[in-house]
Amino acid sequence: MMTLKVNGREHQVDAEADTPLLYVLRDDLKLNAAKYGCGLGQCGSCTVIVDGKAVLSCVVPMVLLEGKQVTTLEGLGTIAEPAPIQRAFMEEQAAQCGYCIPGMMMRAQALLQKNSKPTDEQIRAELEPHLCRCGTHMRILRAVHRAARLMDTADVSPAANGSAR
Amino acid sequence: MNAAVIIDRRRVLAGGGALIVSFSLGSALAQQQDAPQAAAPSPPGSLKTSPYLDAWIRIDADGVEVFTGKAELGQGFKTAFQQIAAEELDIAFESLKVTTADTRLTANEGYTAGSNSMKDSGTAIQNAAAQVRALLIAEAARRLGLSAESLRTADGAVIAPDGKRLSYGELVAVDMLHVQAQPDSKLKDPATFKVIGRPVPRVDIPAKVTGGEAYVQDMRLPGMLHARVVRPPSYGAELTECDTAAVGKLPGVVKVVRDGNFLAVVAEKEFQSIKAMNALAAAAKWKETARLPKQDDLVNVLTSLPSQDTTIFERSNAAVAAHRTIEATYTRPYQAHGSIGPSCAVAQFVDGAMTVWTHTQGVYPDRQGIAEMLRMPPANVRLIHVDGSGCYGHNGADDAAADAALIARALPGRPVRVHWTREQEHAWEPYGPAMVTKLKASLDGNGKIADWNFDVWSNTHSMRPGGAGSMLAAQHMAQPFAVPAPRPLPLPEGGGDRNAIPFYNFPNTRVVHHFISAMPLRISAMRALGAYHNVFSIESFIDELAILAGADPVEFRLKHLDDQRGRDVIEKAAQAFGWKPDQKPPPDRGYGFAFARYKNLAAYCAVASEVEVNRETGRPRLVRAAAAVDSGQVVNPDGLINQIEGAIVQSMSWTLYESVTFDDTRITSIDWQTYPILRFSSVPESIEVHIIDRPGQPFLGSGETGQGPAAASIANAVANATGKRLRNLPLTRKRIKEAIDA
Ligand code: FES
Ligand code: FES
């Protein structure tokens, strides 16, 4: 039994210590957003935020996360109250099948938390570990730019700030 | 609204108690169908095969529900169908519910493939909705004692001149919509459209960006178990030995399933099933045979296999004489669908009935295959489509569904979820077939094409289920089902010969399809089928001829094309790109152009591109692209743009980077390291998509329209930048470097 802090709540997890975070999130905590894409650290679809940093949850065993804060896409906002990054992806219609999108959003969120005005080059460089097979890249880039603008405005009214809790 | 609806109701009780209502309509703005007007006109789209209106639209007190036999694969057409139904029914978009492919609930529309969903299902829903609305008006007219012409519809109700409203829910009576569709519908005038033609946001995106349960991969049924399959290490490998006892004792393991060469393990938790899979894979001993061809000798491998040769097009005009002749050979390797989410399915076997949740493209054909594999009557097998990761054709979806069904049968009562590993998806999915094309053409004395010869060698482009033998689990069972004999897909759509016939006008033309039945690698349908390579070949060779003629590539194309809609997209793309004859690109850059009408009968697309080539490394980069598309009546312009943007980016990845690799026994491209695809550092600076809308024209679909033109456009730009023509896909950095240095 281990305590895992996810989206601001503590969970008692009964999983084998070597279980990668991805399976704890999906299987034990029933969270959908982090996706299995490769389990090899090659595609980014399992990305979540750990202590402010984007992390590939498929290759991080649960034991290494004791005392750390894990944030998943579910922790940012909801359909009714989307976080800026979620609003931006909806407004740009930045998805085809959408399977790669939650991972992209989490890395973009981590980037925007430390750099609120990234250049196009910085966004591309940051998203390099992520694959999208549908070819939604142009929209993903536009959505991240839009999220940066939205978060900028949201800073004025902190209530609407959907940054990781 | 012109042309009054004249309803002449003759109630006839047909077999099965079906109520047939016939009504004739005035000169309707019916969508013209491609099919010639035969003796007995049939209703349009998929209404031909599923003619009852209530197969498509059901109304009760709770609301209106729309049904489609097609599956949402990330193209966003669920939203488009909802728009179409809202428009023709005169009901709020938000109030509709759309249900997709389910063998218990929806019409049998075969496969969701070939960019046909809008044409088949969109057309059916549009016409069914229009006819349902006419029936509701007729019913209101009867109840109110008013003429139908005096009534109008709005917001889900029929409204009388005095303002009295009768909601659709009030009007509809039992079985009222269980009537057969008429050949013609009184469709709305496109000029009055309120919902069709609008960039309505996709209905599935909010859940997908907030962590909602959006995919079959996200399903969690009560008591669900997790299974993993252990696939053989290579095609035809046989399991000689496997001690399953130790694996059976691992934590959480519920069962090891072995049936011949089919091997799987089931556990309570997902990661337990993965550990058990690894242990089982280590315990399994296989006998393998070296049977794969030489990867580097594709032309010889394919052209020397026995083939069935058909001249699919011939035209001659001896009066036109050839002056200068050139020839060239183009190749495409095996390429992978490479879905980002590996294939997955959930199955449950309860009281002799099997239910499978799957991201298959064809719930009915897949049900057929699974029923045959399990030796069960199809009526006892239900397949329900649930969204999956984009599939781009026939990937592992159907196989995963069969895996889940076979495993679930061994554990009655418990739902079983099977998720393939990345390596399994890469090694076992049916690839897009390798192809070879040989072209030979001449210019006449005036720099026009005098003759054109095109030969294409290819496997079939569809080994989709219909029978059990198409699925891995059934092939690997102790009593295996044989892989069905491949068949070429018939023209006009075609398979290996899709888009092999040039859309241009040449006085002398000969096109030969060499259909190869031997399949050294497992193959099936991949987005655009043969059109990807055929358009790449034709449009590259057209550029070679334009260069020979000293002509501008865009003008050269227009010179050989009569079709006005084709000319329009070419001109639009050229203009949007800023294409000018005799333009000089900056150093190390090149411009390229290409055009096709998908299947020669669907959407038109032209793509202009600018590519940069690093002369030191050979690395190519698509800088920008401008495209024009004519997909008939546009339902959702943003959805259409999204599809074409995606097609260009995806095709760029196929074209510059991708090939399946193998040694004499095993597939060796088994993950994203060994099968690299596009990453963000190579994403273009801009892609512009321009739509030419054709109000009132048939829906043409768009999912597979852009891939061929994008490939050729990029290849032509590489040739323009380097002065070297590359004819073997993919146009890798290494090949470009070698060409520059040669
Ligand atoms: S699933 Fe973690 S990187 Fe691919
Ligand atoms: S949207 Fe389908 S993989 Fe990215």
Side-chain angles (χ1 to χ4, degrees):
Chain A
M1 201 63 95
M2 197 191 113
T3 308
L4 198 63
K5 252 190 157 172
V6 179
N7 298 331
R9 295 216 346 246
E10 297 205 340
H11 299 266
Q12 298 302 312
V13 177
D14 184 15
E16 289 146 56
D18 58 347
T19 307
L21 174 61
L22 175 66
Y23 300 100
V24 176
L25 295 173
R26 294 192 59 87
D27 207 7
D28 295 277
L29 306 186
K30 320 275 183 236
L31 293 169
N32 296 316
K35 303 283 187 226
Y36 170 78
C38 66
L40 305 164
Q42 298 175 348
C43 75
S45 61
C46 62
T47 305
V48 298
I49 295 178
V50 177
D51 286 351
K53 284 209 188 73
V55 159
L56 300 173
S57 70
C58 71
V59 289
V60 181
M62 178 176 79
V63 283
L64 298 183
L65 296 165
E66 189 92 63
K68 303 200 189 243
Q69 304 263 3
V70 179
T71 307
T72 72
L73 188 58
E74 289 93 340
L76 299 186
T78 59
I79 293 189
E81 279 183 74
I85 186 91
Q86 293 166 322
R87 245 183 77 192
F89 272 72
M90 290 185 209
E91 286 170 3
E92 291 291 345
Q93 293 283 291
Q96 285 184 60
C97 78
Y99 197 89
C100 68
I101 298 294
M104 301 258 187
M105 292 171 78
M106 292 316 283
R107 188 170 306 269
Q109 175 75 19
L111 169 68
L112 295 176
Q113 278 171 210
K114 53 176 204 281
N115 175 1
S116 62
K117 291 194 178 63
T119 62
D120 196 57
E121 252 172 47
Q122 287 169 326
I123 298 173
R124 285 170 189 251
E126 191 69 20
L127 291 178
E128 189 70 2
H130 291 252
L131 296 177
C132 171
R133 191 56 167 157
C134 296
T136 314
H137 303 72
M138 306 308 293
R139 284 171 185 241
I140 293 166
L141 292 171
R142 286 203 291 274
V144 178
H145 281 293
R146 181 185 280 258
R149 291 196 303 274
L150 288 174
M151 281 166 87
D152 226 26
T153 346
D155 281 346
V156 188
S157 57
N161 192 335
S163 65
R165 284 170 275 224
Chain B
M1 284 295 114
N2 43 21
V5 184
I6 308 145
I7 306 220
D8 147 36
R9 308 188 78 195
R10 280 174 294 134
R11 292 178 169 251
V12 184
L13 271 178
L19 180 64
I20 313 247
V21 178
S22 98
F23 55 101
S24 59
L25 298 163
S27 68
L29 285 152
Q31 293 223 357
Q32 299 304 309
Q33 288 308 299
D34 289 342
Q37 289 298 311
S42 55
S46 292
L47 283 170
K48 267 187 216 47
T49 43
S50 296
Y52 284 94
L53 296 181
D54 64 356
W56 304 94
I57 290 163
R58 286 170 218 170
I59 301 178
D60 60 24
D62 296 336
V64 181
E65 199 169 345
V66 179
F67 294 83
T68 167
K70 300 285 185 180
E72 171 69 57
L73 309 171
Q75 332 86 318
F77 73 58
K78 200 167 169 178
T79 309
F81 290 166
Q82 194 166 333
Q83 287 178 263
I84 292 169
E87 186 72 63
E88 293 292 344
L89 279 169
D90 259 335
I91 191 164
F93 174 84
E94 304 75 34
S95 70
L96 286 172
K97 180 168 178 257
V98 178
T99 296
T100 55
D102 178 334
T103 56
R104 183 170 297 169
L105 300 175
T106 67
N108 182 353
E109 291 194 84
Y111 293 105
T112 303
S115 295
N116 286 330
S117 298
M118 291 305 292
K119 175 167 83 58
D120 297 346
S121 211
T123 303
I125 290 168
Q126 184 183 31
N127 284 272
Q131 297 190 20
V132 164
R133 194 174 71 100
L135 288 175
L136 292 164
I137 291 179
E139 176 63 14
R142 189 184 67 80
R143 288 202 203 169
L144 298 171
L146 293 168
S147 72
E149 298 88 278
S150 67
L151 303 175
R152 64 187 181 91
T153 51
D155 241 346
V158 180
I159 303 168
D162 66 358
K164 185 169 169 41
R165 300 170 63 92
L166 287 170
S167 77
Y168 293 169
E170 288 171 67
L171 284 168
V172 83
V174 185
D175 274 357
M176 183 172 149
L177 303 183
H178 191 63
V179 295
Q180 297 208 10
Q182 300 300 305
D184 293 315
S185 320
K186 165 100 173 69
L187 300 179
K188 288 197 173 168
D189 177 350
T192 68
F193 283 167
K194 295 196 270 297
V195 200
I196 290 182
R198 291 277 142 84
V200 173
R202 281 207 357 224
V203 292
D204 56 329
I205 287 184
K208 288 178 176 175
V209 301
T210 53
E213 186 184 307
Y215 305 93
V216 68
Q217 283 89 347
D218 300 332
M219 283 184 68
R220 291 181 193 89
L221 298 179
M224 189 175 82
L225 297 167
H226 292 272
R228 287 292 184 280
V229 177
V230 173
R231 288 270 177 246
S234 55
Y235 296 138
E238 282 173 36
L239 187 58
T240 52
E241 199 187 314
C242 187
D243 179 7
T244 61
V247 175
K249 292 195 200 86
L250 289 173
V253 170
V254 176
K255 198 175 182 75
V256 176
V257 179
R258 182 180 171 183
D259 187 342
N261 296 315
F262 180 86
L263 200 53
V265 61
V266 189
E268 293 287 347
K269 297 186 73 174
E270 186 161 14
F271 193 61
Q272 291 171 335
S273 75
I274 293 172
K275 286 208 270 188
M277 168 188 73
N278 291 333
L280 194 57
K285 304 271 174 292
W286 302 88
K287 185 165 138 293
E288 300 183 63
T289 27
R291 54 187 233 180
L292 297 182
K294 287 258 166 300
Q295 192 193 326
D296 293 334
D297 195 19
L298 211 57
V299 175
N300 281 325
V301 167
L302 291 187
T303 55
S304 55
L305 284 168
S307 65
Q308 170 192 322
D309 304 341
T310 316
T311 301
I312 57 171
F313 188 82
E314 204 157 21
R315 170 193 288 162
S316 59
N317 179 352
V320 185
H323 273 235
R324 282 177 295 173
T325 303
I326 55 170
E327 47 191 309
T329 300
Y330 294 82
T331 64
R332 174 216 181 174
Y334 293 96
Q335 293 179 317
H337 301 76
S339 297
I340 295 298
S343 295
C344 181
V346 179
Q348 188 172 17
F349 187 57
V350 181
D351 298 335
M354 180 68 73
T355 305
V356 186
W357 291 265
T358 162
H359 54 105
T360 178
Q361 290 180 284
V363 285
Y364 282 92
D366 206 14
R367 173 176 77 165
Q368 190 69 33
I370 288 176
E372 188 185 344
M373 174 183 81
L374 301 177
R375 299 185 164 84
M376 283 172 66
N380 291 357
V381 179
R382 177 183 184 186
L383 262 74
I384 302 171
H385 177 266
V386 185
D387 286 15
S389 183
C391 62
Y392 328 109
H394 178 192
N395 68 347
D398 300 325
D399 298 306
D403 292 344
L406 193 57
I407 300 165
R409 188 176 60 174
L411 289 153
R414 303 283 304 261
V416 177
R417 174 183 180 272
V418 178
H419 203 170
W420 281 18
T421 65
R422 167 54 44 207
E423 296 90 332
Q424 289 170 346
E425 187 78 29
H426 260 85
W428 284 96
E429 65 149 280
Y431 306 115
M435 293 170 69
V436 173
T437 42
K438 294 193 177 189
L439 288 83
K440 186 174 171 192
S442 317
L443 294 176
D444 66 15
N446 302 317
K448 277 190 84 174
I449 292 170
D451 59 57
W452 175 275
N453 289 280
F454 186 95
D455 285 76
V456 53
W457 283 261
S458 176
N459 279 144
T460 181
H461 282 251
S462 178
M463 289 297 289
R464 293 176 185 278
S470 303
M471 304 188 198
L472 292 174
Q475 294 167 10
H476 294 163
M477 290 163 84
Q479 286 183 295
F481 288 83
V483 178
R487 273 176 312 192
L489 300 169
L491 286 165
E493 303 216 340
D497 51 356
R498 180 167 292 185
N499 277 88
I501 299 171
F503 196 59
Y504 300 101
N505 255 332
F506 306 138
N508 295 286
T509 313
R510 186 160 185 270
V511 182
V512 182
H513 179 204
H514 305 262
F515 173 76
I516 305 164
S517 32
M519 294 170 291
L521 270 70
R522 184 172 194 239
I523 55 90
S524 191
M526 182 155 141
R527 216 172 185 186
L529 311 193
Y532 168 65
H533 182 66
N534 290 329
V535 171
F536 163 70
S537 311
I538 292 174
E539 289 292 301
S540 295
F541 201 56
I542 285 276
D543 256 41
E544 297 199 47
L545 288 158
I547 292 165
L548 186 69
D552 174 69
V554 170
E555 284 172 3
F556 191 69
R557 283 175 172 80
L558 289 172
K559 234 173 149 172
H560 293 91
L561 186 66
D562 301 329
D563 187 289
Q564 191 54 46
R565 289 170 74 175
R567 297 180 64 92
D568 289 351
V569 294
I570 290 177
E571 279 163 3
K572 184 77 208 170
Q575 176 223 332
F577 184 81
W579 188 279
K580 287 181 208 72
D582 298 324
Q583 59 197 345
K584 279 269 165 305
D588 296 335
R589 292 209 176 182
Y591 299 136
F593 198 91
F595 157 79
R597 181 178 193 194
Y598 185 49
K599 299 189 271 195
N600 289 344
L601 51 75
Y604 300 80
C605 184
V607 180
S609 60
E610 177 172 346
V611 167
E612 182 178 62
V613 174
N614 181 323
R615 295 191 73 86
E616 294 309 308
T617 62
R619 179 176 183 266
R621 182 172 76 91
L622 177 61
V623 179
R624 67 186 178 106
V629 59
D630 169 354
S631 184
Q633 163 80 55
V634 178
V635 175
N636 190 323
D638 189 60
L640 176 56
I641 291 171
N642 200 353
Q643 284 294 300
I644 302 297
E645 274 178 9
I648 293 171
V649 174
Q650 184 177 60
S651 175
M652 167 202 160
S653 182
W654 296 350
T655 303
L656 297 181
Y657 311 118
E658 299 183 25
S659 50
V660 170
T661 60
F662 42 91
D663 58 26
D664 61 4
T665 312
R666 294 183 179 186
I667 303 293
T668 51
S669 49
I670 51 163
D671 58 16
W672 298 120
Q673 218 85 62
T674 45
Y675 189 89
I677 64 169
L678 165 79
R679 286 188 182 267
F680 268 94
S681 50
S682 306
V683 168
E685 284 159 26
S686 79
I687 295 180
E688 264 180 52
V689 179
H690 298 267
I691 297 175
I692 299 180
D693 191 10
R694 302 284 182 189
Q697 290 291 321
F699 307 131
L700 295 179
S702 63
E704 306 175 300
T705 309
Q707 284 80 357
S713 174
I714 291 167
N716 289 335
V718 169
N720 187 236
T722 60
K724 301 291 166 73
R725 174 65 54 179
L726 278 87
R727 302 188 184 90
N728 298 313
L729 291 167
L731 318 181
T732 57
R733 164 204 302 236
K734 187 162 166 281
R735 282 176 170 162
I736 294 175
K737 176 75 178 139
E738 280 165 8
I740 290 172
D741 291 347

